[in-house]
Amino acid sequence: MKRIGLIVLAAFIGGAAAIGGYKLLEPKTAQLSFQDQQKVLFASNSKISSAGAVDFVEAAAAVSPAVVHIRTSYSGGSGESSPMDMFDEFFGGGGRRMQRAPRAASGSGVILTPDGYIVTNNHVVENADKIEVVLSDRRKVSAKVIGKDPNTDLALIKVDATDLPVVKMGNSDNVQIGEWVLAVGFPLDLQTTVTAGIVSAKARSIGILARTQDQPTQQEYDEYQRTGKLPTRTNSSIESFIQTDAAINPGNSGGALVNANGELIGINAAIASQTGTNVGYGFAIPINLAKKILDDFRKFGTVKRGYIGVMFAPLDADQAEKFQIKENTGLYVTDVVPSSGAAAAGLQKGDIIKKVEGAVIYDSPDLQEKIGRLSPGDKVQLTYLRDGSEKNATITLKGDNTGGVSTKTASTGKATGASIGKLGASFAPAPAALKAKYGVKNGVVVTDIQEGKVFDSIDIPKGMLITTVNGKPVNSIKDVEDALPSSKNGMTTISGVGPNGNYTFSF
């Protein structure tokens, strides 16, 4: 007891000193990145091996006060699913989809700054009408979303509070397989819970963010209209998880994965389980990827993502045989997006990407995570093989509208369907396959929804197939525009169908 008392006292004194320093420099630190703010907050910390000591008492005492319980509530089903819902096998249920969003749910979050910035998972706060944060002192405070990104399953929220405890960020690049780690969060609606395990693997992709959604993008519809065939869906998600056998359960999502030195190395995001509870496979988003995403949220409210502009397939023995090549490691370039950074740097179909910034590439997460930390305009050096010779290329990353990185097909950017100002939505003509699926003869699909506009406020889901507007069948964006003025008594009526059944909305 005496030892624990000394540890708690030391943690209190260190925390008070850090907060005091932060308050003195607060006007300046508000303009710093999260990582630079951390340097101010933890400037006096001595440097220890990231593996730390086998005794986890100090790490648990340092981290637990800054891991919070997040409670969310929902007014009703929105028709959208989170990554966790889309892959129910990770939480049991035999692959069944949830029919409606839950009326209440909970998760975890990690405090990054004393003035209330908190990182969590996108799926913890997605579609929530109300977000409530329970702090370590049992206070309840409301939170607002600063930014969220389904492609990395990260979100940044903010509470109106000061002098909050903070977790120190570590360096996930230094994490080693076999290293001891702690998972801290609020699993199964329990209070703060700390579990221990080791790092089982790094750069793990489990497909949970590569959603098997029915709704195609505008570009995929354009491709369908040109070719008559539905193109292969683009995977724009970034999965490079730290895998751990530390017990992670539902409710741990958004919580902290820390090393034995008490440094944040990952944000817990998913489990692989047929039962819905821990069986030894937990996954966390590396903090080095999260740093860039979180800074973008605070600066822009969204992610400014840079792209190389290549299609590629990870190589193994089977893929090498398919492509009739001898190399069985690296990323085989299957195509290069025109006008992309890769095209400008001279990359060609058949090149094999072997290194990024000097680091050897074995699988797609190795490349995607490193590119995910960069922004449009940043430069990255790739090393690749062409005709048996090793070459280097410096690529300037382009923005979302110029092509991306995909393990199957080149990304052609965000949906750009015509925006209907009154509705705050974008649409694309529905392909025959989708209409046949729902047994309808006409329709347009909602490809994007603007926050705060009509569709958003009445919970019309993205991906819904709209069949009529004010009673008139619609097959194109022009049909929607033409039908809007024909509303009766000032009311607009939208009818359609989606994964959860038929919909009719009037406003």
Side-chain angles (χ1 to χ4, degrees):
M1 291 296 294
K2 182 177 179 182
R3 184 184 176 204
I4 294 176
L6 290 173
I7 291 170
V8 172
L9 178 61
F12 175 80
I13 293 172
I19 292 173
Y22 180 88
K23 296 300 287 184
L24 289 173
L25 297 171
E26 190 169 13
K28 295 181 180 179
T29 57
Q31 306 302 318
L32 299 176
S33 68
F34 284 112
Q35 185 169 0
D36 288 337
Q37 283 182 259
Q38 290 265 318
K39 292 177 181 178
V40 174
L41 288 166
F42 298 99
S44 61
N45 278 30
S46 59
K47 294 183 178 180
I48 314 175
S49 165
S50 66
V54 177
D55 189 338
F56 301 127
V57 175
E58 292 185 43
V63 172
S64 295
V67 179
V68 299
H69 195 182
I70 297 176
R71 296 173 176 171
T72 54
S73 59
Y74 306 81
S75 61
S78 67
E80 290 190 47
S81 301
S82 76
M84 298 306 182
D85 303 331
M86 294 298 295
F87 290 81
D88 267 350
E89 65 270 23
F90 284 83
F91 290 95
R96 296 189 305 272
R97 288 194 186 186
M98 297 177 64
Q99 294 301 307
R100 288 185 175 273
R103 296 196 64 81
S106 68
S108 306
V110 184
I111 303 175
L112 300 177
T113 65
D115 60 342
Y117 282 98
I118 299 170
V119 59
T120 186
N121 289 144
N122 172 70
H123 76 263
V124 170
V125 298
E126 188 177 31
N127 302 321
D129 296 311
K130 181 180 178 181
I131 303 171
E132 184 178 70
V133 173
V134 183
L135 302 172
S136 59
D137 60 8
R138 304 299 176 91
R139 279 186 295 157
K140 297 179 183 178
V141 288
S142 295
K144 63 179 180 180
V145 175
I146 303 301
K148 54 187 180 178
D149 177 36
N151 287 324
T152 53
D153 196 23
L154 286 168
L156 181 68
I157 62 176
K158 177 75 166 62
V159 298
D160 188 11
T162 57
D163 298 336
L164 297 177
V166 177
V167 174
K168 182 182 180 182
M169 288 186 184
N171 183 348
S172 54
D173 286 349
N174 292 341
V175 172
Q176 301 176 57
I177 295 173
E179 178 179 342
W180 282 102
V181 289
L182 302 178
V184 187
F186 292 79
L188 307 173
D189 274 334
L190 297 172
Q191 292 300 311
T192 307
T193 299
V194 180
T195 57
I198 63 167
V199 173
S200 307
K202 294 177 64 177
R204 183 73 84 200
S205 177
I206 58 176
I208 199 169
L209 300 182
R211 303 182 180 191
T212 54
Q213 295 176 335
D214 289 326
Q215 55 265 33
T217 65
Q218 176 69 46
Q219 287 75 20
E220 288 172 327
Y221 277 114
D222 292 342
E223 180 70 14
Y224 167 77
Q225 291 175 330
R226 286 194 298 268
T227 66
K229 297 180 180 180
L230 283 174
T232 305
R233 294 303 309 277
T234 296
N235 174 12
S236 57
S237 60
I238 300 175
E239 288 192 14
S240 186
F241 293 121
I242 299 170
Q243 181 179 322
T244 177
D245 64 356
I248 295 175
N249 281 291
N252 272 116
S253 292
L257 187 72
V258 300
N259 60 28
N261 196 33
E263 298 169 330
L264 183 66
I265 58 170
I267 305 300
N268 298 323
I271 60 175
S273 170
Q274 295 294 329
T275 65
T277 53
N278 178 266
V279 292
Y281 303 100
F283 302 92
I285 303 161
I287 195 62
N288 284 10
L289 172 61
K291 288 173 186 177
K292 188 269 180 189
I293 305 298
L294 297 171
D295 280 328
D296 277 4
F297 286 156
R298 187 160 61 168
K299 292 177 183 176
F300 313 113
T302 187
V303 182
K304 300 293 185 181
R305 187 165 280 123
Y307 293 103
I308 295 176
V310 294
M311 298 178 285
F312 62 81
L315 287 175
D316 56 21
D318 291 334
Q319 289 287 69
E321 183 178 349
K322 173 184 175 181
F323 293 120
Q324 298 181 343
I325 56 177
K326 295 181 179 180
E327 292 290 325
N328 57 16
T329 61
L331 305 177
Y332 183 86
V333 176
T334 58
D335 208 349
V336 177
V337 179
S339 303
S340 65
L347 264 71
Q348 300 175 8
K349 178 180 178 180
D351 291 341
I352 301 172
I353 301 173
K354 302 293 287 187
K355 297 178 183 178
V356 56
E357 296 294 337
V360 177
I361 296 296
Y362 294 101
D363 207 345
S364 55
D366 297 326
L367 176 64
Q368 290 174 316
E369 183 194 346
K370 290 179 173 60
I371 301 303
R373 302 179 193 177
L374 303 175
S375 301
D378 287 345
K379 297 181 185 298
V380 62
Q381 186 179 67
L382 295 185
T383 301
Y384 62 94
L385 288 180
R386 179 183 295 170
D387 299 327
S389 298
E390 191 171 278
K391 301 178 181 295
N392 293 310
T394 300
I395 297 175
T396 301
L397 303 184
K398 298 291 185 72
D400 284 357
N401 61 340
T402 55
V405 176
S406 169
T407 57
K408 293 184 179 179
T409 62
S411 168
T412 49
K414 294 181 177 179
T416 57
S419 177
I420 312 296
K422 178 177 175 62
L423 305 180
S426 300
F427 307 94
L434 194 58
K435 288 185 287 188
K437 174 180 178 179
Y438 290 118
V440 298
K441 296 181 179 180
N442 59 276
V444 295
V445 175
V446 180
T447 58
D448 197 16
I449 294 176
Q450 298 176 28
E451 188 173 352
K453 296 293 184 71
V454 173
F455 270 34
D456 181 48
S457 64
I458 63 176
D459 288 332
I460 290 183
K462 181 179 176 181
M464 173 181 169
L465 193 156
I466 294 176
T467 54
T468 66
V469 175
N470 291 325
K472 296 184 176 182
V474 292
N475 282 298
S476 65
I477 296 166
K478 187 176 186 303
D479 288 346
V480 176
E481 293 175 328
D482 291 344
L484 284 173
S486 62
S487 59
K488 297 179 180 179
N489 301 320
M491 295 292 291
T492 297
T493 301
I494 303 286
S495 297
V497 62
N500 296 331
N502 296 321
Y503 297 81
T504 298
F505 300 89
S506 295
F507 51 91

